[in-house]
Amino acid sequence: MPAKKKNTHKPWRKAVQEALRHATDAEALARFGKRRPAYNYRWEHVTAVVTLAVKLAELTGADRDVVEAAAWLHDVRKEAKDKHPREGAKFARKFLPETDFPPDKIERVAQAIEDHMGLWRDKPLTRLESQVLWDADKLAKLGLTAVFHRVGDVLAKGKPMTTANLMKNGRDAAWQANTVASMHTEPAQRAAIARFQAYNKLWDALAGELNGDDLL
Ligand SMILES: [Fe+2]
Ligand SMILES: [Fe+2]
C-alpha cells in the first residue's frame, strides 16, 4: 500500500508568529547585542498591531485571515528600512505557501504589507485590507501605547535618561496630527483622535505634576 502523503504545511498562525519572533530576535541582536533585551519594541509593536488589525477587520468586514497574517509579517524585514514594506511583501509571497494559509489570499497579504509605508498619506489607500493594516499600524504609534513603547525602547538602550528627556522625546511628535488625519476606516479615525488627545493630555499632566501646578 502506498504511503499516505503527509501534509507538511505548517499551521500558518504559529508559523507567522515564529517568523516574527525570529525577526525581532535578530533585530534585537543587531541593536542591543542580545536576542532578548530588557524591552523588545518591535515585538511589542507588532503584537499590538495584530490585536488592533483583527478587531478592525471584524468592524469593517475586511478579510480576517489576510489582515491577521499581514499584521504579523508587516515589519518582518524591518532591517530593509524604507524598502521593508516591499521586502516584507516578498517574504510573505515566499513564506506563506510553506504554510496552510489559503493560497488564493496570499497576494492580498503581500499587497497589504507593501502598502503600509509612511506615517501619513497624501493619497488614501483603496484596498480594504491595506487600509485596515495601515490604520492598525499607525494606531499603535499613537496614544498611551506610543508612550509606553517609546519609553520602553529608549530605556532598553541602557543609556542614562531623565524624565525631562523622555518628555522632550515624547512631545517631539508633530507628525502625529498628520497620522490622525490619514486614517482610512471610521473606527480607526475615532480611536486616533482619542489617542492623540490622551497622548497630549498625559504629557501635559506629567509636566503639571513635575512643576507642582497642582499645589494650590
Ligand atoms: Fe513598517
Ligand atoms: Fe509597524
Side-chain angles (χ1 to χ4, degrees):
M1 207 168 101
K4 215 173 151 191
K5 203 178 168 214
K6 247 171 85 184
N7 183 358
T8 53
H9 288 174
K10 290 182 240 161
W12 71 266
R13 282 196 170 86
K14 198 165 173 266
V16 292
Q17 287 183 43
E18 280 171 8
L20 178 72
R21 181 46 93 183
H22 185 75
T24 53
D25 282 359
E27 186 180 335
L29 187 63
R31 286 186 70 200
F32 307 112
K34 49 184 163 189
R35 287 180 191 284
R36 299 293 155 97
Y39 187 89
N40 190 321
Y41 167 79
R42 188 69 50 207
W43 180 262
E44 298 288 326
H45 165 70
V46 174
T47 49
V49 173
V50 171
T51 303
L52 298 174
V54 167
K55 190 111 193 245
L56 269 181
E58 280 163 13
L59 291 169
T60 60
D63 187 286
R64 184 192 158 133
D65 292 343
V66 170
V67 162
E68 191 176 343
W72 278 109
L73 297 178
H74 79 282
D75 281 342
V76 78
R77 295 293 321 278
K78 189 68 189 178
E79 78 283 2
K81 302 207 168 89
D82 280 3
K83 291 191 181 123
H84 82 272
R86 182 163 295 186
E87 291 301 317
K90 272 194 217 164
F91 180 95
R93 286 187 189 104
K94 220 173 144 207
F95 181 78
L96 289 175
E98 294 166 15
T99 73
D100 64 356
F101 190 80
D104 57 325
K105 294 184 180 180
I106 291 175
E107 191 48 35
R108 284 156 74 195
V109 175
Q111 280 168 352
I113 295 173
E114 202 161 337
D115 283 342
H116 91 274
M117 191 66 190
L119 285 170
W120 62 87
R121 295 200 58 89
D122 297 325
K123 226 172 115 199
L125 294 165
T126 51
R127 296 183 193 103
L128 182 56
E129 284 76 21
S130 294
Q131 292 179 335
V132 165
L133 177 65
W134 197 94
D135 287 5
D137 185 35
K138 275 47 173 187
L139 270 182
K141 293 176 192 282
L142 297 171
L144 304 187
T145 311
V147 175
F148 277 81
H149 286 187
R150 285 178 80 140
V151 168
D153 194 42
V154 168
L155 296 182
K157 289 175 187 153
K159 290 191 184 143
M161 184 50 62
T162 62
T163 306
N165 273 337
L166 287 173
M167 279 179 60
K168 198 166 164 273
N169 188 285
R171 282 185 182 280
D172 182 21
W175 53 268
Q176 290 192 355
N178 294 331
T179 306
V180 173
S182 299
M183 290 291 164
H184 301 82
T185 63
E186 222 188 300
Q189 282 163 358
R190 273 196 301 272
I193 291 166
R195 286 173 186 227
F196 189 43
Q197 283 169 353
Y199 185 87
N200 290 320
K201 235 164 129 180
L202 179 132
W203 295 118
D204 288 345
L206 178 59
E209 283 187 16
L210 294 173
N211 279 333
D213 292 349
D214 49 352
L215 297 174
L216 301 168

